Amino acid sequence: MAHPARTRDLDVVVYGATGFAGALVAAHLATHAPDGVRIGLAGRSVEKLHEVRTRLDVDWPLLVADAEDPAALDDLATAAHVVATTVGPFARHGRPLVRACATNGTDYVDLAGEVLFARQSIDDNHEAARESGARIVHSCGFDSVPSDLGVHVLYQQVAADGAGELTDTTLVVTRLRGGFSGGTVDTIRHQLDTVRGDRALRRIAASPYSLSPSRDDEPDLGRQDDYATLDGSTVDGSLRGRLAPFLMAPYNTRVVRRTNALRGYAYGREFRYREAMSVGASPLSTVYAGGLKAGLGAMALGLSLRPTRYVLDRLLPRPGTGPDEKTRRGGHFTCDLFTTTSTGARYTARVRAKGDPGYQATAVMLGEAALALALDRDALPPTPGGVLTPATGIGDAYVTRLRAAGMELSARRLDKS
């Protein structure tokens, strides 16, 4: 069933607009949404919503809804064509809103980077969203837009050249400057709490195909280690030194694999995908990469043990907080992707943007995802709806908007004969 006729009062609602990330999304829309777009601000406190609206100098309507109030969330979902939410951790606070949107045919975007939440969302909402026509698109921030759309544009270039299918593909975070998100820390903390003592949930979180429509349909490509250190030269001749594990690889890789499966394995049945992070090309890169890998393990262990968690909770960024404006605007990221195709051709893609990745750049990504769904319906990928990914749910309409907003998304062949 398609969306209801255009009788909804609003095009986009930002839910969580009084929080740190939500206020940044609202600020982006206030300065970049086209004239005539009907936008609302939503949250638990009408007083705080008034403060945000005054600060932005807009006259947008305010909607009050608690994340645990199904009736209020139904009202929120039926008021707009698209809901963009920043209220996480999503496994704790996000499920009722996804259900409301899936049931009411309302498109939905969020910043989720939680494997278990995304898996449950697929199980609970995919069929309902297909029936209502809702596009439920998780992970429209730094997790996992560079990954999912980076492979998307890489695949498009390979397909346009008739160069075969993708095989071994690696995303390397080659440049990164920005703060560590308190929301990301809280997500890690919540997932560790959830899987503790539950072997079945640990297996889901660990599976490389945990977000795929059907694990039985996935190819057996052997072990796919998200925390390996890599020799840069084995990824591409332009990379020197050792590559470290990337913190969000255990989530991003699963989103990309879901995209491949939802597209009928258009990337290829031999498509292997991994992510890593450059630590430079100095002789000490092996030490740096090993240290970063050990540090990620130590953080996970520390957050799992009560005495060390007490200390880390006071040292790590807290949810709802973030860097000042100067720091946010001074951040940036560059992700380079490398692949070898089934015909032996080599390709690269680049995703690059200014702004702190977890805050400033992410606000742009989520805001533009909402605008694409609300305004660019004729350019969206053909789908009856469902729990989708940035590439399968928004696709080229998203790429176009992000490029217009200043993000580089490009791909080219490396070995032209």
Side-chain angles (χ1 to χ4, degrees):
M1 181 175 71
H3 283 261
R6 296 191 67 85
T7 57
R8 302 194 183 198
D9 294 333
L10 300 170
D11 296 306
V12 176
V13 166
V14 180
Y15 185 56
T18 60
F20 193 88
L24 291 176
V25 175
H28 173 75
L29 293 174
T31 56
H32 291 84
D35 292 341
V37 179
R38 303 165 301 167
I39 300 172
L41 302 175
R44 290 184 301 174
S45 167
V46 68
E47 291 81 9
K48 291 182 179 179
L49 288 170
H50 272 292
E51 293 174 7
V52 173
R53 183 169 66 178
T54 299
R55 188 165 63 248
L56 295 177
D57 191 24
V58 295
D59 61 355
W60 298 341
L62 307 179
L63 298 85
V64 178
D66 187 278
E68 307 303 323
D69 184 344
L73 295 176
D74 270 337
D75 290 343
L76 176 66
T78 55
H81 290 286
V82 183
V83 173
T85 177
T86 62
V87 180
F90 292 92
R92 183 184 298 155
H93 302 299
R95 291 169 182 162
L97 179 57
V98 179
R99 186 178 305 113
C101 290
T103 302
N104 288 291
T106 304
D107 291 344
Y108 164 105
V109 289
D110 68 21
L111 301 178
E114 307 166 37
V115 169
L116 297 178
F117 165 73
R119 180 66 260 173
Q120 184 163 18
S121 177
I122 294 164
D123 294 340
D124 292 348
N125 302 298
H126 184 68
E127 290 307 318
R130 285 175 64 87
E131 291 178 8
S132 72
R135 295 173 188 248
I136 306 298
V137 187
H138 300 302
S139 315
C140 292
F142 188 56
D143 314 314
S144 304
V145 167
S147 307
D148 202 36
L149 293 189
V151 177
H152 171 73
V153 298
L154 187 66
Y155 157 73
Q156 285 187 318
Q157 187 62 59
V158 170
D161 292 347
E165 298 179 331
L166 307 183
T167 59
D168 291 339
T169 304
T170 305
L171 177 146
V172 181
V173 182
T174 48
R175 292 180 180 84
L176 182 68
R177 180 179 179 182
F180 193 39
S181 166
T184 298
V185 174
D186 207 32
T187 293
I188 295 170
R189 184 188 294 114
H190 186 265
Q191 180 152 301
L192 289 170
D193 290 344
T194 301
V195 302
R196 187 183 296 119
D198 193 320
R199 185 175 299 176
L201 290 180
R202 286 202 300 273
R203 281 199 299 267
I204 292 172
S207 168
Y209 299 108
S210 55
L211 302 185
S212 295
S214 170
R215 177 62 186 90
D216 292 341
D217 292 334
E218 293 285 357
D220 184 4
L221 300 177
R223 188 182 181 205
Q224 300 183 66
D225 187 356
D226 293 311
Y227 289 113
T229 62
L230 308 173
D231 183 344
S233 64
T234 64
V235 174
D236 184 77
S238 66
L239 298 173
R240 302 296 181 217
R242 201 76 183 166
L243 303 177
F246 179 46
L247 173 65
M248 292 309 299
Y251 183 73
N252 295 338
T253 53
R254 286 144 178 79
V255 172
V256 173
R257 292 180 192 121
R258 178 169 177 79
T259 292
N260 189 33
L262 288 174
R263 286 179 162 166
Y265 300 95
Y267 296 166
R269 297 289 299 182
E270 299 300 315
F271 173 67
R272 290 174 55 91
Y273 180 70
R274 61 188 179 183
E275 297 188 349
M277 184 171 183
S278 173
V279 292
S282 80
L284 294 176
S285 65
T286 299
V287 176
Y288 297 151
L292 185 54
K293 178 178 181 177
L296 292 175
M299 184 178 73
L301 179 62
L303 288 172
S304 300
L305 302 175
R306 183 170 297 177
T308 48
R309 178 164 176 168
Y310 178 84
V311 175
L312 287 173
D313 282 347
R314 281 148 183 79
L315 295 176
L316 293 170
R318 303 178 72 84
T321 64
D324 60 25
E325 182 177 1
K326 180 179 179 181
T327 303
R328 294 196 307 268
R329 295 193 179 280
H332 56 82
F333 72 87
T334 301
C335 298
D336 290 311
L337 296 92
F338 304 92
T339 194
T340 300
T341 76
S342 56
T343 65
R346 293 172 53 247
Y347 282 77
T348 186
R350 171 163 286 185
V351 184
R352 176 168 58 185
K354 295 180 180 179
D356 181 286
Y359 295 98
Q360 198 73 30
T362 282
V364 175
M365 293 181 220
L366 187 63
E368 294 300 324
L371 291 175
L373 287 171
L375 304 179
D376 304 333
R377 300 204 62 80
D378 290 343
L380 296 175
T383 176
V387 179
L388 307 169
T389 61
T392 58
I394 318 177
D396 288 339
Y398 201 4
V399 172
T400 299
R401 282 197 168 271
L402 289 175
R403 284 172 174 162
M407 181 181 292
E408 178 181 351
L409 285 147
S410 61
R412 61 186 176 88
R413 185 165 180 167
L414 287 171
D415 58 350
K416 292 181 180 178
S417 54

